[in-house]
Amino acid sequence: SSSSSSSSSSIGSGSDNSTITTNINKMLYSIILPTYNERDNLPLITQFIHDTFTQSALTYEIIVVDDSSPDNTLEVAKSLQKIFTEKRFVIVSRPGKLGLGSAYSAGLKASSGDRVILMDADLSHHPKFIPQMISVMDKDDKNNKSKKVDIVSGTRYRPAGGVAGWDTFRKLTSCGANFLATFLLSTGGASDLTGSFRLYERAALEEILPRVQSKGYAFQMEILVRAHKAGLKIGEVPITFVDRIYGESKLGANEIVMYLKGLLTLFLTT
């Protein structure tokens, strides 16, 4: 923790902008990582997050929400907590798989950040895109100064975004799911409805999360639908999604059926 505080003070030193820099650096970012069988990935993603935030002189905390992973992810998390300290590395341990939505809610309760980042722990989301997301959120909209961005979504479907390591079936499934959702639902022009790499103003997430009913992959989609309906502003940053190296993908026929059910429900009710 000493390294990040020293780098944050050195950025502002010797310049007239020191007070502005210090204020930005005081903002705390909470990164919520739901885990299930991620013992190999968790140390790597933790180090990547630490490096990214330290280099950008930003303050962070990681909230790991583990659903009793049989591969002992929890033990790995406890080891990491000793290295990164309890202040910066918080563990929420739950008795079995209770779903993504409730994992985010549990993580949000345990967090204290002004802004919240939701991302996957399996290395498919690289933290290097987070500073860009933050700059989109910090930027004033010239045409509409009163409306700041409340949510910044990492998108695979804009120029410079993309996917690495997926086979044709997985790419077609994802593109098809996303096309259906953008065609059927009102989301204010958001291009990646099923991605889960996003930065939220805390108030925005606290407002939207309790309203979300969907499970599985439809969950991410419903967040943006409800956010748009509530008048929240959504920004985007192109990201490269990399398929997991360690562990098994959690997408199966069951998830696809659940997604289509969720999509139909949202189409009929929102």
Side-chain angles (χ1 to χ4, degrees), residues 79-110:
S79 304
L80 290 166
Q81 192 177 52
K82 285 184 185 135
I83 300 163
F84 288 94
T85 74
E86 283 182 28
K87 187 171 184 245
R88 187 166 268 187
F89 195 97
V90 178
I91 299 170
V92 179
S93 179
R94 307 198 305 165
K97 285 186 91 168
L98 300 171
L100 194 59
S102 66
Y104 287 147
S105 299
L108 190 61
K109 277 200 192 91

Side-chain angles (χ1 to χ4, degrees), residues 29-230:
Y29 290 85
S30 299
I31 300 117
I32 299 175
L33 299 176
T35 58
Y36 189 77
N37 288 349
E38 300 291 0
R39 62 170 298 151
D40 295 321
N41 294 318
L42 190 58
L44 295 170
I45 193 68
T46 301
Q47 189 62 51
F48 290 162
I49 289 167
H50 175 74
D51 292 347
T52 299
F53 276 80
T54 304
Q55 282 156 17
S56 302
L58 296 162
T59 312
Y60 76 92
E61 62 173 5
I62 293 171
I63 317 291
V64 171
V65 183
D66 184 65
D67 281 4
S68 297
S69 301
D71 74 343
N72 287 334
T73 298
L74 183 60
E75 298 313 308
V76 173
K78 284 176 179 169
S79 304
L80 290 166
Q81 192 177 52
K82 285 184 185 135
I83 300 163
F84 288 94
T85 74
E86 283 182 28
K87 187 171 184 245
R88 187 166 268 187
F89 195 97
V90 178
I91 299 170
V92 179
S93 179
R94 307 198 305 165
K97 285 186 91 168
L98 300 171
L100 194 59
S102 66
Y104 287 147
S105 299
L108 190 61
K109 277 200 192 91
S111 73
S112 38
D114 311 280
R115 289 175 176 171
V116 180
I117 294 154
L118 303 185
M119 64 189 294
D120 294 347
D122 64 4
L123 305 180
S124 54
H125 299 146
H126 200 296
K128 68 182 177 186
F129 298 108
I130 293 172
Q132 284 169 264
M133 292 172 149
I134 291 168
S135 69
V136 167
M137 193 168 266
D138 286 338
K139 204 162 48 182
D140 271 318
D141 186 339
K142 299 282 179 287
N143 307 322
N144 185 1
K145 287 219 164 144
S146 62
K147 194 77 188 98
K148 298 271 280 184
V149 170
D150 302 288
I151 300 168
V152 181
S153 184
T155 177
R156 298 160 288 181
Y157 303 114
R158 290 255 188 247
V163 171
W166 275 5
D167 59 20
T168 310
F169 170 73
R170 186 82 198 261
K171 280 183 181 165
L172 285 172
T173 308
S174 177
C175 287
N178 205 62
F179 171 77
L180 265 177
T182 46
F183 180 69
L184 292 174
L185 305 172
S186 172
T187 56
S191 64
D192 193 339
L193 302 189
T194 52
S196 53
F197 190 6
R198 294 180 190 151
L199 165 67
Y200 297 84
E201 286 287 7
R202 186 184 189 90
L205 192 58
E206 285 177 336
E207 182 185 346
I208 299 302
L209 205 53
R211 301 183 195 172
V212 179
Q213 322 258 288
S214 302
K215 303 271 184 279
Y217 288 85
F219 178 85
Q220 307 299 347
M221 180 172 66
E222 187 177 343
I223 285 187
L224 291 192
V225 171
R226 301 236 175 253
H228 177 60
K229 216 176 170 195

